[in-house]
Amino acid sequence: MVEKQRGAMRLAACDPAAHALGLTAGMALADARARVPDLAVFDHDPVADLNLLGWLADGCERYTPACMLVPPQGLLLDITGCEHVFGDAARLAKDLHARFSRHGLSCRIALGRTPDSAQAKAKYAARAISDVPVEALDGGDKVHKALRRAGLRSIGDLAVRPRKPLAARFGKAVVVRLARLLEEEDPRITPRRSLPIIHVAQNFAEPISRTNDVLATIEMLAGNAALQLQERGQGGRRFEICLFRSDGHVARLAVDTGTPTRDAALLMRLIRERIDALSDPLDPGFGYDLIRLEVPIAEVLANVQVGLETKIDTDAAAAALIDRLSVRLGAERVRQFHARQSHIPERAALERVAQSDVAKADWPKADWPKPVPGEPAMRPFRLFETPQPIEVTAGFPEGEPRSFRWRRHVHRVTRVEGPERISPEWWRHPRGYAPGNGSLTRDYYRVEDNEGRRFWLFRRGLYDEIERPLWYLHGIFA
Amino acid sequence: MSYAELACTSSYSFLRGASPPSDYVAEGIRRGLTAIGIADRNTVSGVVRAWKALGDAPDEARSALLAAKRDAGEPEQLTEAEKAACEPNIRFLAGSRLVFSDGTPDIIAYPATRQGWGNLTRLLTVGNMRATKGSCILKFDDLRDHLDDLLLIVMPYATADAEEAHKSPPLYAFKETAKPIAAPSHLKLVSTAPQDWESVLRRLAPVHVGKLWLGVSTHHRGKDKRQLARYRQVANAFDVPLLATNDPLYATRDQRPLHDIITCIRMGTTIQKAGFALEANAERYIKSADDMAHLFHACPEAVAETERFAAHIHFDLEQLKYEYPHEPVPGGWTPDDWLAHLVWTAAHERYGAELPEKIRKSIETELAFIRTEKFAYYFLTVHDLVKFARDQKPPILCQGRGSAANSTVCFLLGVTSVDPLTNTLLFSRFISSDRKEPPDIDVDFEHERREEVMQYIYRRYGRHRAAIAATIIHYRPRSAVREVGKALGLTEDITTRMVSTVWGSFGSGPDERRLVEAGFDPDNPEIARLKALSEQLIKFPRHLSQHVGGFILTENRLDERPQFH
Amino acid sequence: MNKKPNHIQPTLSAGAFPSVQGMWKQYQSDAAQSLLPTGAPYVDERLRGGITQAGLHEFFGGAKADSHAAAAFALLLAWRLPESDAGIFWISGDKERQTSGRLYPYGLSAMGGDPARMLLVQTADLRDALRAAADAIRSKAASAVILETHGNARLVDLTSTRRLALAAAETGVLALLVRGDAVPMPSAARTRWRICSAPSAPLPGNAPGLPTFDISLLRHRGGAAPFAARVTWDHATRSFFDAPLSGGLSAIVTDTETGPASRQRA
């Protein structure tokens, strides 16, 4: 790999074969070519390298969700608690190595109890931390030279020395780093993704591809997760299933619930819905060799027994149905009525998504007005989103409609009541407070035609507001 | 057809009416109504303004006409006909809307006579005494005890808010009535008050024959016709006539936005959240006789009834004159004679049998003036107080000050201490420019012992005849901008910045230059809107407060005139 | 020894001896299904009590313009169910919303309904709607499920309706199928109706009155004979009542007619 360094094309990196022929990084390209005339040279593309590293990290998520990039060539995996999926750490490392080889990549894997020690061992290809050279301290060339002059060449050499004089002579930072390398201190890594609260996984020696098998596995994992949630007194609000294909591809499915849950059966139903609802069906390729279930969002869910009262059952059943339909159809298609205080009819009633992050208690329990005995409904059964333009014959100046034409059908008005005058909400326009600003008052009429059908009409604009006000049909009465 | 609007709610119904009484009068004149009646909620504090506005109307009309002529280049003279045209042809009627705390619907009361006015103010006092300062708690039974000479318009709805009861109402016994006022009880009596307008009619129609009406309005709320038919049916059954009213909350339709704003201020909400608390439309303004005839074409008699109603009223505010207490004058003397006696006696005591010419002349001039203007009582009352104070052991220090020092009479009565013999007194300084009102005599009493003075006043005249004058606090520019800003939903930092631009307390609103200085764009429609609405709110009454130290002493019961609080 | 004849041998597992009470309960649940009366005496008489609460019923509109009447009538029927916490599910598709508009909760509450207890599902197509309806019926979260469809959809056939009917019978949910602008075709619905809007008895001032319908029972699986009637809905009692066909004033219990004298008596 070549790139421009210090004014000349130089080697950025060499493969083992090139090394064997005596080429090193930093060497000028011209020199390199002189030694190896048929040298294969590629442009160094750091961005592409980084992307590749990221892709590799994605694949490594199968081992643990806690992965960190160490550019340009490193990956740090925190496999605490994850080794058992593969048996033990050694087997996990073996699997990892095999995976890389399959992709045509060579890698050096090192295990350590702390990130620093593992990283150092990998970088310097040492089996034990004591073999790692002092350069691993990252203290700077001067410090390294000084250490070597003092006869300290490896971490093992430093380990036996008292720390205080070392700190005094070479600086505190060196001593801190030494402690980390020697696994005495243990800073956590910063993973690429936020860690889920709970994650359970299952791997397969023989990758599985049959849907039933996949679902059975997920069900088992769901049961596990439910147990963990129960121990924590929590319920999950979001569940993610990661399906790792043997060829490295990862598929993710997510399921949200309106209320926290740890009901494994409910979860399975929702997951099945999610899978059914996929626009492109899952393609297992050559099979999934790892399936993981994560719970990224959980909330407190007390250990309450479902009571014998039907109310709780109904509410729970309704919530479950809402969740199910929301997953299948999309949350915005499952709605409830919501009131808003406004005299403008179309603004006064909304539909809100039934499954909501907002706790139900916060929803204003809408107090819909009670009907008055003997009073007919003053509002229609159905409202048109867009008021329908109609042609009306009415008395002048502000007379009642006598007949109207809608969708090419003429209606003769036999009963009518009105007007119910609704003035515009003047505050919604900056100059609405001043007279003559152009906003229009509506005069609504309830009408019944000769065929016994009842409509809600309005005239848009008073005759002293606009020269030729237009009429509309806004709704239908029962 | 002629029409009188009898149910105007002015800005003196705090935060309910969006027009000052003068606006109603002006609009009534403009619309050619035969009479305009101001009936504010549990108060008569606004009627004086309206009455005054009507009195000023001819002058204003004449000035306007002259100005128009000047602009048109015509000679600035008015013909007899033009002068006559400037005389408004409208009556002003003073009343009050009784709002009850026990569920009784609103009833608008107009006094038919001077006695009726006394009844009305007494009734309102009963309510005021029961409540904390500024509020009024009325019960239906209170009305029943004060029915005489009141014309009542029953409204088919109630507008009461929750009120706070007085912690411990002052207990005092009127000489005339033996009825004790019960201490408030924690027991809640089962309400026997009528809870709907039909019950009100049922209870009042038999006892108040010929003086009861049902007030009806049509505001285009969808079922006007049906409702009107119902009202007519029920009212007929009780032989109560319908009375048409538009129940205005503002004088012109353009004032609806201001009304919405004051509703928000009253309810402590913003215009965006107020929702159904706001009126659905802008129909509650002064309408013409033709408009009302059109709206009530199904029962035109309701419109005609308004004129019949006005004809029943023989009371005018002109009839209210200030009446002083009689105590300071001993039996057998007239006030002028007694005053003269006191003054001449004191003069001889001080200057001897032969009075200096200067003294004699000023006494004669002043006494003549006092006799002409009928101010004797006033001087005697003040003398009485001062005498009491000086007679105490030890004497309470008191001193008259201000322009009163220019009066020889005051000196001789012991009110002031400026000796006219050795000083030049200018009596003209003492007399106020408005000769209708007695001149101000300010007397300072020893601060620590002023309670003794107050107690003396109460003992001598009775609590029901002495009161600390209440004045009405208006919105100042700062408070107007702050309240309107809040109601418009503007954030606090913006309203605070706007408030800080308002120049002093007596400016008339945000100054444009200072707006720019504060970082506002005066062309920004939001700012323009805030400015426009605040300017309308300034000068609106906000609440009542005590006037510092002023006492009112009267002959008749004080609560027959202004109201007690 | 008396041997029980085979044909009255109870079909229970050998060894279990059923109690008389248990048998009686089972017999009862088979025979007497809960019936929902409309409240209008003539209609309920013709229905022999009412419509089966745990079943599927379908409503067609007389003319295309009557699709609203069919929808409204179905909803009003659902409001006749005894109060419970279970709600009413309204399922319709994008097409219905486009042509007919949205349910307006203030109008619903003015007719005596409780919009807070309703859930609305709007699907992209009919297949989803049918499936959602079936789920809703089976979930026990609903006391009534109303499915509104558009046009003469072939998908609403014997098979799909049978699925709905069986689910409703199983769970006791009232399932109503509103096919306002379709023509009647074979279905598994227990009753089939045609609904038209009808003139109302006017209120004072010649104002339009209460919701009034001309209803015709076209088919009844239980054997009731077809009939036609006119009914009006009274939101005060949440019940239908028989309305005269000639459009004269009917005996509506309203305050508008009674005067103070009669109120004193009352």
Side-chain angles (χ1 to χ4, degrees), chain A residues 34-50:
Chain A
R35 277 204 212 176
V36 183
D38 56 352
L39 184 66
V41 173
F42 302 91
D43 271 328
H44 179 46
D45 187 351
V47 174
D49 284 352
L50 199 60

Side-chain angles (χ1 to χ4, degrees), chain A residues 340-343 375-376 378 400 417-424 426-431 433 435 446 462 464, chain B residues 220-223 225-226 253-254 256-257 260-261 271 274-276 278-283 525 528-529 532:
Chain A
R340 185 161 57 191
Q341 288 228 345
S342 169
H343 286 293
E375 279 281 307
M378 300 297 282
E400 300 157 343
E417 184 173 74
E420 185 183 339
R421 186 163 290 180
I422 298 181
S423 295
W426 57 268
W427 56 90
R428 297 182 61 220
H429 307 281
R431 293 184 213 284
Y433 66 96
R446 294 194 305 122
L462 302 177
D464 59 6
Chain B
H220 294 316
R221 294 302 298 135
K223 42 190 177 172
K225 246 193 284 191
R226 251 190 296 143
R253 199 164 68 180
D254 298 339
R256 170 197 169 222
D260 284 346
I261 289 291
I271 196 84
F276 297 129
L278 303 177
E279 296 278 316
N281 60 33
E283 293 298 302
R529 174 165 81 179

Side-chain angles (χ1 to χ4, degrees), chain A residues 426, chain B residues 9-19 24 249-250 255-269 271 274 277-278 475 483-484 487-488 533 536-538 540-541:
Chain A
W426 57 268
Chain B
T9 302
S10 83
S11 49
Y12 285 83
S13 296
F14 299 148
L15 293 179
R16 294 262 187 175
S19 295
Y24 278 116
L249 296 169
Y250 33 87
Q255 290 167 324
R256 170 197 169 222
L258 181 63
H259 183 260
D260 284 346
I261 289 291
I262 64 177
T263 304
C264 292
I265 295 175
R266 186 178 88 242
M267 306 198 70
T269 181
I271 196 84
L278 303 177
Y475 272 100
E483 296 290 324
V484 174
L488 283 172
L533 290 167
Q536 291 181 59
L537 188 62
I538 291 165
F540 268 40

Side-chain angles (χ1 to χ4, degrees), chain B residues 93-260:
Chain B
L93 304 173
S96 179
R97 173 189 290 250
L98 306 171
V99 179
F100 298 90
S101 315
D102 57 3
T104 310
D106 291 2
I107 298 178
I108 294 180
Y110 278 92
T113 63
R114 167 80 180 77
Q115 276 67 31
W117 174 262
N119 250 338
L120 178 61
T121 47
R122 249 202 304 273
L123 169 61
L124 292 174
T125 300
V126 168
N128 289 334
M129 297 302 293
R130 246 191 225 122
T132 48
K133 197 168 64 187
S135 326
C136 183
I137 298 185
L138 279 179
K139 316 244 185 240
F140 181 70
D141 289 337
D142 301 328
L143 172 62
R144 279 218 309 215
D145 299 331
H146 294 84
L147 277 179
D148 285 344
D149 282 6
L150 285 183
L151 305 179
L152 301 180
I153 306 172
V154 176
M155 304 301 277
Y157 59 85
T159 60
D161 283 332
E163 301 282 354
E164 259 187 39
H166 206 297
K167 292 273 160 44
S168 51
L171 297 167
Y172 55 87
F174 292 109
K175 282 198 199 112
E176 298 86 60
T177 65
K179 195 168 70 169
I181 298 177
S185 163
H186 66 280
L187 294 173
K188 220 172 162 226
L189 281 176
V190 172
S191 176
T192 53
Q195 295 297 301
D196 51 44
W197 58 275
E198 295 97 325
S199 313
V200 174
L201 293 185
R202 187 180 310 124
R203 308 254 297 247
L204 286 178
V207 301
H208 209 57
V209 184
K211 293 190 261 180
L212 194 64
W213 284 261
L214 179 67
V216 291
S217 14
T218 55
H219 294 134
H220 294 316
R221 294 302 298 135
K223 42 190 177 172
D224 295 338
K225 246 193 284 191
R226 251 190 296 143
Q227 252 184 359
L228 202 53
R230 171 106 214 277
Y231 292 147
R232 195 200 218 150
Q233 190 181 39
V234 175
N236 275 348
F238 292 114
D239 224 358
V240 170
L242 293 183
L243 188 128
T245 168
N246 207 38
D247 209 352
L249 296 169
Y250 33 87
T252 61
R253 199 164 68 180
D254 298 339
Q255 290 167 324
R256 170 197 169 222
L258 181 63
H259 183 260
D260 284 346

Side-chain angles (χ1 to χ4, degrees), chain C residues 165-233:
Chain C
L166 282 173
E170 234 173 69
T171 56
V173 171
L174 181 69
L176 306 174
L177 180 56
V178 174
R179 317 197 52 193
D181 53 359
V183 293
M185 50 184 79
S187 90
R190 192 158 167 88
T191 64
R192 174 186 297 164
W193 302 81
R194 181 175 59 229
I195 313 286
C196 303
S197 244
S200 63
L203 293 171
N206 194 31
L210 301 175
T212 305
F213 308 91
D214 277 333
I215 65 177
S216 309
L217 177 68
L218 302 176
R219 222 173 124 209
H220 192 292
R221 275 182 190 253
F227 69 93
R230 180 171 287 188
V231 293
T232 299
W233 172 259

Side-chain angles (χ1 to χ4, degrees), chain C residues 28-41:
Chain C
Q28 274 215 307
S29 62
D30 285 343
Q33 293 250 290
S34 245
L35 292 179
L36 178 68
T38 65

